Amino acid sequence: MKRLCNYLSVALFCMFALCACSNDDDNPFVGTDNFILSWDVVVGDDTYSASIVGNKITLTVPDGTDLSEAKNEVTLCEHATISPDPNTITSWEQEQTFTVTSYAGEKREYIFNIQYSAISTSGTIFLNTQAEVDAFADSGVSVIDGVVYIATTDSKDPVINLNALSKITEITGSLFIGKYYQGDNLEGLNNLQLVGGLEIQNE
């Protein structure tokens, strides 16, 4: 009886093994999926994740972000491919179209867009020298939640132009331009769309 049980066990094992092999042969990999599962963009030490809704991909990054040398990390369905290679794109100023092809050769198009979000800061800003004005441009700030004072005190490096402030679009508080401003005009503030108040001091 013991020997019969052993024979039965071996026979059952072989039967299951044959069934498993048969199932694998009957269900070969079809590979019809052609989806983008995720899309991350690495810029220096920062990583931005794009949103994917249907066939539209939207990446939101801060104003002034340089994407020319960004690294794209794209996750696709198994054995799918994407064209063109996102890491060969150097100019992202215009809408981009990418085609994902499944293992079986079925294609799907995705439209990729970039959105730039405003960089904001809060508090009182004092810009009393030309060097301070020029340095402010490096911050990339476009929205100031506070008050801005320009050339309200005397300086050996007087403010002579406001060109470096061209990214500012909004100042929630007041903008004060003091009597020590030596510029001929207010160019540089041309993109200012909203300001809580404006005061220009005369001699």
Side-chain angles (χ1 to χ4, degrees):
M1 179 65 71
K2 183 176 181 181
R3 181 176 297 177
L4 178 60
C5 289
N6 289 337
Y7 285 147
L8 288 173
S9 297
V10 172
L12 288 172
F13 173 79
C14 292
M15 184 177 67
F16 285 130
L18 288 172
C19 288
C21 293
S22 176
N23 287 338
D24 289 343
D25 292 338
D26 292 341
N27 296 284
F29 180 71
V30 178
T32 57
D33 289 339
N34 49 13
F35 298 104
I36 295 176
L37 304 179
S38 67
W39 191 312
D40 293 332
V41 176
V42 180
V43 183
D45 295 329
D46 299 317
T47 299
Y48 304 98
S49 296
S51 66
I52 304 174
V53 180
N55 286 19
K56 294 184 177 180
I57 303 173
T58 304
L59 177 71
T60 302
V61 295
D63 262 337
T65 302
D66 182 7
L67 298 173
S68 61
E69 297 184 3
K71 180 181 179 182
N72 293 270
E73 298 178 347
V74 184
T75 304
L76 307 173
C77 290
E78 187 176 6
H79 296 302
T81 59
I82 187 170
S83 178
D85 181 350
N87 287 310
T88 64
I89 307 295
T90 57
S91 177
W92 294 91
E93 298 304 317
Q94 297 180 344
E95 181 179 271
Q96 302 287 340
T97 300
F98 294 92
T99 301
V100 178
T101 305
S102 71
Y103 178 80
E106 297 183 9
K107 300 181 182 297
R108 180 185 300 273
E109 285 193 347
Y110 283 87
I111 306 299
F112 189 103
N113 283 292
I114 304 290
Q115 289 185 351
Y116 292 93
S117 61
I119 300 176
S120 63
T121 188
S122 60
T124 302
I125 306 295
F126 294 93
L127 303 173
N128 286 311
T129 68
Q130 187 63 47
E132 290 174 342
V133 171
D134 295 340
F136 188 82
D138 295 333
S139 68
V141 169
S142 57
V143 176
I144 299 173
D145 184 13
V147 180
V148 179
Y149 293 90
I150 299 175
T152 55
T153 62
D154 195 8
S155 170
K156 293 181 179 180
D157 178 26
V159 180
I160 59 175
N161 71 75
L162 304 176
N163 297 337
L165 305 182
S166 61
K167 289 184 179 180
I168 299 177
T169 59
E170 181 178 340
I171 300 174
T172 61
S174 295
L175 169 62
F176 294 90
I177 299 179
K179 65 180 181 179
Y180 297 104
Y181 177 59
Q182 296 188 17
D184 296 327
N185 53 60
L186 298 180
E187 290 182 11
L189 298 177
N190 297 343
N191 293 321
L192 189 59
Q193 301 172 8
L194 176 66
V195 61
L198 174 62
E199 181 178 336
I200 301 176
Q201 297 178 343
N202 297 318
E203 291 290 344

